[in-house]
């Protein structure tokens, strides 16, 4: 089968994929509450004659294709939406007030269902097994710190997986193109809550207390030197304070300020350094007569694409979508829980362009006017299906180095 014909076959499914994506878009569900989405996916797989498990990682679905033995490749889409009020005036606008598919996970789910249909049409050519992972809860973690990906790992879903491929929509890239990048692509995303503790006093007699606001100001200013002065200039990192809360009245010295923020990094040693040195900087509060409590929570690790698998995707992408379709993806300080899979198996994450040529302005992810050019749906579906078929057909463990 020629690679290019898969794109033609996927394009024949375009109206169906658009219908699926719009239906999901209209009924977005938040992390770990993807009940209708999961039921829709399971029903669609059933229609296609693809067996699946439901309630995997709570609200996830895993479908199975192939002959039940041999090498295994997993294809992953996430399904959750965001607590954002949609401002797009379209017929398929979100019907769940305050919830919106503003990260394109509706598109990812539609692309993977499209790939499932294509693979079913070519089931006789599947030389091994394909796992279709419809993952819940990419956007948030639960009280125990789990996201959909860490639960998938805990439930052993990728224990028998030799390689995994994930897709994500990319508003900076036109529809029809994809972005690949070997090595580091997305950042480790950590969260901190820092309480600065002082001692209350009358504002007129401030010397009798310890002003937590002044301590917090010192800490915030000093934290700016972590990236600019402390980590090597050739390394990247971000420290951002997103919340500052404290104080009651103009004439009361504040005794407690809460600071909440995010720390992004790529290299494990830089991640360790930023955590350690944020602690040191917080201790400025102690040096100035106050105190602090720091709660630092590690989130998703940095997303690192396997070089060989990315090279393979680049070749399949050019054959399947055309030579001009494959571009180099930019490195970004965003985070993505697909990174967890890469800690356990060979993995690659693909950016799928969704910018429409007629749109005058950018429509970024996580904004109320985010939108996609739906012509990207068959592109993503074709790439996923072609990658799975060819990866299995070419599979030879001796050709793949290292983890897998
Ligand atoms: Zn997102
Ligand atoms: Zn996303």
């Amino acid at each position: 089968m020629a690679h290019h014909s898969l794109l033609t076959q996927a394009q024949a499914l375009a109206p169906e994929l658009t219908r699926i994506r719009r239906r999901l878009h209209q009924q977005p569900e938040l992390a770990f509450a993807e009940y209708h989405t999961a039921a829709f996916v399971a029903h669609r797989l059933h229609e296609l004659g693809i067996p699946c498990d439901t309630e995997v990682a709570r609200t996830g679905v895993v479908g199975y294709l192939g002959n039940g033995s041999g090498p295994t490749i997993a294809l992953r889409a996430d399904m959750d939406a965001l607590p954002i009020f949609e401002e797009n005036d379209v017929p398929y606008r979100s019907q769940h007030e305050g919830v919106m598919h503003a990260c394109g996970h509706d598109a990812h789910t539609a692309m993977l269902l499209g790939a499932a249909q294509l693979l079913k049409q070519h089931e006789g050519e599947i030389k091994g097994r394909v796992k279709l992972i419809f993952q819940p809860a990419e956007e948030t973690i639960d009280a125990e710190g789990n996201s959909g990906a860490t639960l998938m790992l805990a439930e052993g879903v990728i224990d028998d997986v030799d390689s995994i491929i994930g897709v994500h929509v990319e508003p900076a890239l036109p529809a029809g193109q994809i972005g690949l990048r070997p090595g580091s692509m997305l950042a480790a995303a950590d969260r901190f809550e820092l309480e600065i503790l002082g001692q209350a006093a009358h504002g007129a007699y401030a010397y009798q207390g310890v002003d937590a606001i002044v301590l917090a100001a010192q800490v915030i200013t000093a934290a700016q030197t972590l990236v600019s002065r402390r980590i090597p200039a050739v390394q990247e990192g971000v420290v951002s304070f997103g919340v500052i809360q404290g104080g009651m009245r103009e004439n009361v010295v504040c005794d407690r300020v809460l600071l909440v923020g995010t720390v992004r990094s790529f290299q494990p040693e830089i991640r360790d350094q930023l955590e350690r040195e944020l602690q040191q900087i917080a201790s400025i509060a102690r040096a100035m007569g106050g105190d602090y409590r720091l709660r630092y929570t590690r989130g998703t690790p940095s997303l690192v694409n396997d070089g060989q698998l990315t090279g393979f995707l680049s070749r399949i992408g050019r054959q399947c979508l055309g030579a001009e379709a494959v571009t180099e993806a930019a490195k970004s300080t965003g985070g993505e829980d697909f990174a967890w899979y890469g800690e356990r198996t060979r993995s690659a994450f693909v950016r799928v362009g969704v910018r429409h040529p007629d749109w005058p302005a950018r429509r970024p992810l996580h904004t109320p006017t985010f939108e996609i050019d739906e012509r990207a749906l068959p592109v993503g579906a074709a790439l996923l299906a072609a990658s799975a078929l060819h990866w299995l057909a070419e599979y030879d463990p001796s050709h793949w180095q290292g983890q897998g």
Side-chain angles (χ1 to χ4, degrees):
M1 175 204 38
H3 312 271
H4 210 83
S5 72
L6 266 175
L7 181 61
T8 311
Q9 289 163 39
Q11 275 158 350
L13 305 179
E16 173 72 357
L17 298 185
T18 295
R19 190 190 66 78
I20 290 173
R21 181 259 164 175
R22 290 183 180 190
R23 163 148 186 184
L24 295 170
H25 191 85
Q26 244 173 335
Q27 294 177 355
E29 295 172 299
L30 294 173
F32 292 125
E34 305 90 338
Y35 304 107
H36 294 104
T37 308
F40 177 84
V41 166
H43 178 72
R44 180 73 191 134
L45 292 175
H46 182 74
E47 279 179 348
L48 294 171
I50 298 170
C52 68
D53 290 331
T54 56
E55 295 178 32
V56 187
R58 282 185 219 151
T59 41
V61 179
V62 179
Y64 305 90
L65 279 153
N67 56 21
S69 65
T72 302
I73 186 161
L75 307 175
R76 176 270 206 175
D78 43 14
M79 302 191 293
D80 54 325
L82 286 158
I84 291 176
F85 195 97
E86 177 159 20
E87 289 175 13
N88 292 319
D89 184 17
V90 287
Y92 50 92
R93 185 175 177 278
S94 169
Q95 292 175 351
H96 296 171
E97 197 152 306
V99 183
M100 177 188 176
H101 267 298
C103 202
H105 299 186
D106 51 346
H108 306 162
T109 303
M111 286 174 191
L112 187 51
L113 285 171
Q117 189 167 353
L118 292 170
L119 287 166
K120 186 69 189 174
Q121 289 166 8
H122 293 272
E123 196 161 26
E125 297 160 47
I126 299 177
K127 306 263 191 301
R129 304 193 311 149
V130 184
K131 273 191 169 179
L132 309 166
I133 300 180
F134 294 89
Q135 184 208 296
E138 190 284 321
E139 296 285 358
T140 32
I141 52 173
D142 67 10
E144 284 81 48
N146 278 306
S147 69
T150 60
L151 287 178
M152 286 282 175
L153 294 187
E155 294 182 18
V157 172
I158 65 154
D159 287 356
D160 58 353
V161 166
D162 300 291
S163 282
I164 183 166
I165 297 168
V167 284
H168 205 292
V169 296
E170 173 53 72
L173 209 58
Q177 295 197 331
I178 61 165
L180 295 169
R181 183 179 188 89
S184 283
M185 185 188 237
L186 293 165
D190 300 338
R191 179 182 198 273
F192 65 87
E193 277 184 39
L194 175 58
E195 266 182 292
I196 304 290
L197 305 166
Q199 197 189 326
H202 192 303
Y205 316 109
Y207 61 91
Q208 292 176 346
V210 178
D211 190 343
I213 287 178
V214 173
L215 302 188
Q218 299 284 347
V219 168
I220 293 167
T221 305
Q224 306 314 309
T225 64
L226 284 174
V227 172
S228 68
R229 305 285 82 178
R230 296 296 303 155
I231 65 172
V234 292
Q235 298 284 2
E236 300 109 329
V238 181
V239 177
S240 292
F241 292 85
V243 174
I244 174 167
Q245 284 170 353
M248 303 286 284
R249 280 179 64 89
E250 80 282 6
N251 60 356
V252 177
V253 169
C254 167
D255 64 351
R256 180 181 173 275
V257 172
L258 175 68
L259 306 171
V260 185
T262 186
V263 177
R264 305 293 169 108
S265 59
F266 292 94
Q267 298 300 324
E269 58 275 16
I270 299 298
R271 192 182 197 187
D272 291 342
Q273 184 187 352
L274 288 171
E275 178 175 357
R276 201 171 54 239
E277 298 204 5
L278 184 66
Q279 184 94 29
Q280 278 176 24
I281 279 174
S283 69
I284 290 171
R286 221 167 257 171
M288 295 177 72
D291 206 349
Y292 72 94
R293 277 196 288 261
L294 176 63
R295 206 166 68 141
Y296 194 97
T297 313
R298 291 203 169 201
T300 55
S302 172
L303 192 153
V304 183
N305 291 313
D306 180 82
Q308 256 184 303
L309 188 57
T310 305
F312 164 83
L313 285 170
S314 172
R315 172 164 60 85
I316 297 302
R318 284 194 304 268
Q319 288 167 348
C320 176
L321 309 173
E324 295 76 39
V326 180
T327 67
E328 189 189 53
K331 196 171 174 180
S332 145
T333 43
E336 157 69 52
D337 87 338
F338 183 80
W340 286 112
Y341 298 109
E343 303 251 297
R344 211 67 78 76
T345 190
R346 187 188 309 282
S347 71
F349 202 51
V350 185
R351 294 294 202 181
V352 178
V354 290
R355 199 186 71 216
H356 195 290
D358 298 342
W359 292 340
R362 291 186 59 176
R363 306 179 82 161
L365 298 167
H366 288 218
T367 64
T369 54
F370 172 71
E371 177 59 295
I372 65 163
D373 182 338
E374 288 167 326
R375 287 174 293 182
L377 298 173
V379 172
L383 181 77
L384 285 169
S387 302
L389 284 177
H390 288 282
W391 188 87
L392 292 171
E394 296 173 20
Y395 185 75
D396 175 351
S398 65
H399 287 174
W400 294 88
Q401 279 119 39
Q403 196 181 37

